[in-house]
Amino acid sequence: MNLRDIWTVTKKELKAGFSDKMVFFQIVFMPFLIIAGYALLMGVMSSAAIDSDSDKDVKAYYVNAPEYMEEGLKELKLESVSSDKIDEIKAEIENKDCELLVVFPEDFTLSDGNSTDLSNIEIWYNSTDTQSYKMFSEVNMFFSAIQPKLFAVNGVQDVNYDMGDEDAFMRDMLAGLMPAILLMAVYMVVMNLAAESIAGDKERGFLNTMLIAPVKRASIAGGKALFMLIASIIGGLSAFLGLAITLPKLGELMELEAKFSYGLKDYAVLFAVTITAVFVISSILLILSTIAKDVKQATTWSPVVMMILLIGGMLSTTESFKPMIDNLGMVNNIIPAWNSMIQMQHIIKCEYTAETILI
C-alpha cells in the first residue's frame, strides 16, 4: 500500500465531492440543520402546547357547595351553577366542551369519623381531555387536604422528599430521540457519498480503469476509505455542533423550571463517540457499496442499516425492553453502531463511565 497513491485517490474524491455545491452543503451544513431544526421544532411544539393549555378558557362548575369550600373552589377556577344545569354540563364534558362538574349532595356534612354514612361528592370529568383530567386531580387534592386527618405525610413544607433528579425526565426524553436523529443526519451525508464512491465508479466503468492502472487495489480502497472518513468527520462535527448548541436550549424552549447543562468533559466524550459512530456507519456503507452492482442497489440496501439503528434507538428507551439491554451487560459495548447509540444516551443522561466509553 502506497501512501502517495492513497492520497492521490483521496484528493480525486475530495475534488469531485466538494466541487459540487449541493454535496458541499450536504456534508457541511445539512447535519447541523437537521439536528438544530428538529430540536427547535420539538421545543416550539412543546412550548406551544404549554401556552395553549395556559391560555385555554376553563369551563368548570360546582353545585351546592358549602360556604367554607366555595372560596377554594373559585381559586381553582370553578363557578357556581344551579342543579338544573347538571345534565347539560355533563353532556358538555362528554363532548369536551367543558372540563369539570362538582356536585355536592343537598344534605352534605363532614363526617365526625364515627359514622359510616358518608356524604358523597360527585366529580364529573373526561379522562381523554388533558385539561379536564388535570382539573380533576387538582380538585381531588383540594378535597383531600380538607378531609379530617389522622396523621401527616411529608408534612414539613421546606423539605424536598423527592430523591430523584429533577432533570431526569428531560434527559431521558432527549436520550431517546437525539442520538437516533444525530446518526440519521450523518447517515444522510455518507449514504450517497459511499454509493457514488464505489458503486457509482463501478457503474460508470471508471473503477475498471483505475484497477488496470499501476496502482495497487489496497491503495484505491484506502484512498476511497480516507475520503469517506474525512467527509464523515466533517458531517459528524456539523451534527455534533448542532447537538451541542441545542441541548442546553431545549429546557428554555420548553419553559421547564428544571434547567440542565453539560460540562466540557461531557461534550468531549460526546464528540469522541459521535466520530466513532460516524466511522462505523461509513465503513458499513462502503462495504455495501462494494458489494452492490450499481448505485441504485447500494442506495436500496443502505436504508436497512438506518432502520435497524432507529428501531434499536426507540427500543432502548422502552421500559419493557430495558431489562433485555441490561441483561446484555458489557456486550452492549462491543456491538458496532449500537454501542455508540447506547453511549450517547448514557452521556446525555450523565450516566456514562470511562470504562464503557473506552470500550
Side-chain angles (χ1 to χ4, degrees):
M1 186 182 294
N2 189 305
L3 293 178
R4 183 177 180 180
D5 291 340
I6 291 175
W7 182 239
T8 300
V9 175
T10 301
K11 286 195 295 183
K12 172 260 177 189
E13 296 287 338
L14 288 171
K15 183 178 180 181
F18 284 91
S19 61
D20 188 321
K21 293 181 179 179
M22 284 302 299
V23 174
F24 179 80
F25 174 82
Q26 182 182 359
I27 295 174
V28 178
F29 297 106
M30 184 177 288
F32 177 87
L33 294 176
I34 290 175
I35 296 290
Y38 183 85
L40 179 63
L41 178 63
M42 186 169 60
V44 170
M45 289 177 64
S46 299
S47 179
I50 294 172
D51 291 339
S52 64
D53 284 343
S54 61
D55 296 340
K56 183 179 179 182
D57 292 331
V58 175
K59 295 176 64 178
Y61 307 97
Y62 64 86
V63 177
N64 295 330
E67 292 183 4
Y68 57 86
M69 288 191 185
E70 284 193 287
E71 183 178 352
L73 292 172
K74 287 178 180 178
E75 288 181 0
L76 295 174
K77 299 182 180 180
L78 275 74
E79 299 178 8
S80 177
V81 294
S82 58
S83 57
D84 60 339
K85 298 283 188 179
I86 291 178
D87 291 336
E88 178 183 342
I89 294 173
K90 286 166 64 176
E92 290 182 357
I93 293 174
E94 186 176 1
N95 295 326
K96 299 183 179 181
D97 295 324
C98 179
E99 278 69 44
L100 199 78
L101 173 64
V102 181
V103 180
F104 292 80
E106 294 183 0
D107 56 348
F108 175 79
T109 56
L110 285 175
S111 173
D112 58 6
N114 297 319
S115 174
T116 58
D117 186 16
L118 303 177
S119 295
N120 179 49
I121 302 174
E122 296 179 323
I123 306 177
W124 301 92
Y125 68 101
N126 190 331
S127 61
T128 62
D129 185 340
T130 304
Q131 188 66 23
S132 177
Y133 188 75
K134 179 182 177 182
M135 290 202 68
F136 165 75
S137 300
E138 292 175 349
V139 172
N140 207 20
M141 290 176 62
F142 167 72
F143 287 147
S144 298
I146 62 176
Q147 284 177 336
K149 296 181 179 179
L150 300 178
F151 51 84
V153 178
N154 291 353
V156 182
Q157 297 297 322
D158 57 349
V159 175
N160 183 13
Y161 296 94
D162 184 2
M163 304 299 292
D165 183 358
E166 64 179 0
D167 303 330
F169 171 76
M170 186 64 177
R171 286 197 179 104
D172 287 345
M173 183 179 70
L174 291 177
L177 294 173
M178 300 311 288
I181 299 300
L182 186 146
L183 293 181
M184 184 180 73
V186 175
Y187 163 84
M188 291 178 65
V189 170
V190 299
M191 181 186 73
N192 290 330
L193 291 178
E196 286 291 340
S197 180
I198 299 179
D201 282 354
K202 191 189 304 183
E203 183 178 355
R204 291 185 292 269
F206 183 72
L207 188 60
N208 292 332
T209 303
M210 293 183 69
L211 291 175
I212 62 175
V215 180
K216 292 183 179 180
R217 294 190 175 202
S219 298
I220 297 173
K224 288 183 174 292
L226 181 58
F227 159 69
M228 282 297 301
L229 293 182
I230 293 173
S232 299
I233 288 175
I234 296 173
L237 178 60
S238 176
F240 167 77
L241 289 175
L243 185 63
I245 291 173
T246 55
L247 273 178
K249 298 292 184 181
L250 277 174
E252 181 180 342
L253 286 172
M254 294 183 174
E255 299 181 5
L256 298 177
E257 293 180 3
K259 306 299 180 184
F260 60 92
S261 60
Y262 298 91
L264 182 61
K265 175 185 173 184
D266 301 320
Y267 283 119
V269 173
L270 183 59
F271 176 72
V273 173
T274 300
I275 296 303
T276 305
V278 165
F279 285 174
V280 174
I281 292 175
S282 298
S283 301
I284 294 173
L285 292 177
L286 278 173
I287 292 171
L288 292 177
S289 181
T290 304
I291 298 172
K293 296 178 180 179
D294 50 37
V295 174
K296 182 179 179 181
Q297 193 174 67
T299 53
T300 301
W301 290 349
S302 297
V304 177
V305 178
M306 195 64 239
M307 287 302 300
I308 293 173
L309 290 176
L310 289 176
I311 293 172
M314 289 187 291
L315 289 177
S316 65
T317 58
T318 305
E319 287 296 330
S320 59
F321 196 74
K322 284 182 179 179
M324 189 180 301
I325 297 176
D326 294 338
N327 289 335
L328 289 175
M330 295 300 290
V331 176
N332 286 305
N333 300 312
I334 60 175
I335 302 174
W338 168 262
N339 54 4
S340 298
M341 181 173 290
I342 291 293
Q343 290 308 315
M344 286 180 190
Q345 292 177 353
H346 289 170
I347 293 167
I348 292 175
K349 293 191 287 187
C350 297
E351 297 175 355
Y352 66 94
T353 63
E355 181 185 13
T356 55
I357 292 295
L358 288 173
I359 294 175

